[in-house]
Amino acid sequence: MYPVDGNAIAGTLFELLGAEMTDATGTCASCLEARPLGELAVYPGGPGIVVRCRSCDNVLMVLVEIRGITCVDLLGFTAVDPAPAS
Amino acid sequence: MLELVEEAPRVRSIVLDLPGWRGHRAGQHVDVRLTADDGYQAQRSYSIASSPEDRSVVLTVERLEDGEVSPYLVDELRVGDELELRGPVGGYFVWEASIGGPLLLVSGGSGIVPFRSMLRHRTATRSTVPVSLLYSARSLDSLIYHDEIMRLAVQDGIDVSVTLTGQHPAGWHGYTRRVDRDMLAEAGIPPAESPRTYICGPTGFVEAAATALVELGHDPSRIRTERFGGSGAQSSMIESTSEG
């Protein structure tokens, strides 16, 4: 299955975190590559949404919604810097 | 829902009246959520086709044969119906006149939708940023915004190239192959001019175009991408569904 972009979960992230996150910068803890969240590889087809690094495929973030509660696991980032003010 | 516009076979624009809409930036999208009588929900993201300056918000949707949301939006929705929307969202795949250019836009199929917003925004703000638009479609019939694109093509500062990868009419002078490195070198903007580049289309299309541009010497940090995912014809960006 092909991944889509982080852009595709902009609405979900906004709802969860209260801010526009696609131009925030996430740094992968595995390969240290920093990219806008809008560029990350998103696999939305499973029971949850899995977000991976485009360079090394490391799992960065997992979002699972169950009975109206969304669990957010930011397991693979070493840093997430908020978006520059626009 | 105020109005429906047939853009191409299986493609329709939906004109919306959104009370309380706080405006959007060119390139942003909205999430559309449908809820069935039994509570089953399906949600998809659609790029906004109108510019921030347009009077109404417009979405352009392509029907996917196995889609859960697009068949309803393209075939069932009627004037006066209500839709549940979330947005505008997205801050990454955005272009505003203040960002400047030159602007290189590369689209495959319904990947043209966010670019229509950007190009209308450029016109509305009287921006003189030079634009090269490379648009890949299967046939002349499937070219979304055909008339508007043709009007843009004769404007100063906008260079439009169309490639038809399937059928093309007799006497067609445009490209007839998939977007490749030679086409991007010919119809694009040279890396020396440091264009702002946006690529939107199906995943395979975006990967191929982005790779070719980097091979040509373009700075990857000035290339922004938006992929549809799935097979070639998808116009929605996400397949997220939830039950209950």
Side-chain angles (χ1 to χ4, degrees):
Chain A
M1 175 200 173
Y2 286 115
V4 292
D5 290 324
N7 303 319
I9 54 168
T12 302
L13 292 176
F14 190 93
E15 197 160 87
L16 293 172
L17 304 171
E20 174 52 55
M21 295 303 291
T22 51
D23 47 0
T25 303
T27 306
C28 172
S30 172
C31 70
L32 296 181
E33 172 153 296
R35 276 184 188 247
L37 300 198
E39 269 191 6
L40 301 176
V42 171
Y43 294 82
I49 297 169
V50 176
V51 182
R52 287 179 179 269
C53 176
R54 285 236 179 241
S55 297
C56 74
D57 231 23
N58 180 37
V59 175
L60 299 172
M61 177 163 53
V62 178
L63 305 168
V64 180
E65 188 188 325
I66 182 162
R67 288 186 286 276
I69 297 171
T70 303
C71 304
V72 184
D73 193 346
L74 301 172
L75 68 170
F77 287 116
T78 186
V80 177
D81 294 326
S86 57
Chain B
M1 223 273 297
L2 293 175
E3 194 191 341
L4 293 165
V5 182
E6 302 295 330
E7 302 283 3
R10 303 189 313 279
V11 182
R12 201 152 89 149
S13 283
I14 299 166
V15 183
L16 298 165
D17 172 34
L18 298 176
W21 181 251
R22 55 189 162 87
H24 70 279
R25 301 160 71 200
Q28 284 191 303
H29 51 94
V30 294
D31 295 345
V32 177
R33 177 180 284 176
L34 299 181
T35 306
D37 292 339
D38 63 1
Y40 178 81
Q41 292 189 324
Q43 180 181 300
R44 299 290 186 276
S45 283
Y46 294 100
S47 291
I48 300 171
S50 49
S51 81
E53 295 79 11
D54 284 339
R55 204 173 303 156
S56 304
V57 173
V58 179
L59 307 180
T60 301
V61 179
E62 178 176 14
R63 186 182 71 227
L64 312 178
E65 297 316 324
D66 57 348
E68 283 192 308
V69 175
S70 62
Y72 175 79
L73 296 178
V74 174
D75 295 334
E76 306 292 331
L77 195 67
R78 297 288 175 265
V79 170
D81 287 354
E82 296 200 341
L83 274 182
E84 186 182 347
L85 297 185
R86 177 171 64 188
V89 288
Y92 168 71
F93 201 79
V94 160
W95 182 78
E96 285 164 314
S98 59
I99 292 176
L103 199 53
L104 173 55
L105 308 176
V106 184
S107 65
S110 52
I112 190 71
V113 176
F115 297 157
R116 184 203 194 216
S117 178
M118 294 178 189
L119 290 166
R120 285 187 163 212
H121 173 62
R122 177 187 177 276
T123 304
T125 55
R126 302 204 169 107
S127 163
T128 54
V129 163
V131 180
S132 280
L133 170 68
L134 179 53
Y135 183 6
S136 171
R138 280 185 296 272
S139 65
L140 211 51
D141 285 346
S142 67
L143 212 61
I144 306 172
Y145 316 131
H146 176 276
D147 295 352
E148 189 166 341
I149 300 284
M150 295 306 152
R151 281 199 302 275
L152 280 173
V154 298
Q155 276 187 30
D156 280 345
I158 301 189
D159 181 38
V160 177
S161 305
V162 174
T163 181
L164 300 178
T165 57
Q167 295 171 317
H168 55 273
W172 172 253
H173 294 299
Y175 295 106
T176 54
R177 61 180 199 270
R178 286 171 180 267
V179 170
D180 57 24
R181 202 164 69 175
D182 290 346
M183 197 186 297
L184 287 162
E186 223 171 78
I189 296 173
E193 292 178 34
S194 303
R196 298 261 174 198
T197 301
Y198 295 78
I199 311 171
C200 188
T203 296
F205 174 90
V206 171
E207 298 287 340
T211 304
L213 284 167
V214 172
E215 284 171 3
L216 286 169
H218 287 266
D219 176 0
S221 72
R222 292 178 76 85
I223 300 174
R224 301 201 159 201
T225 56
E226 186 147 279
R227 298 164 176 84
F228 293 156
S231 61
Q234 295 213 353
S235 65
S236 70
M237 289 192 290
I238 188 166
E239 298 283 321
S240 100
T241 57
S242 62
E243 285 174 73

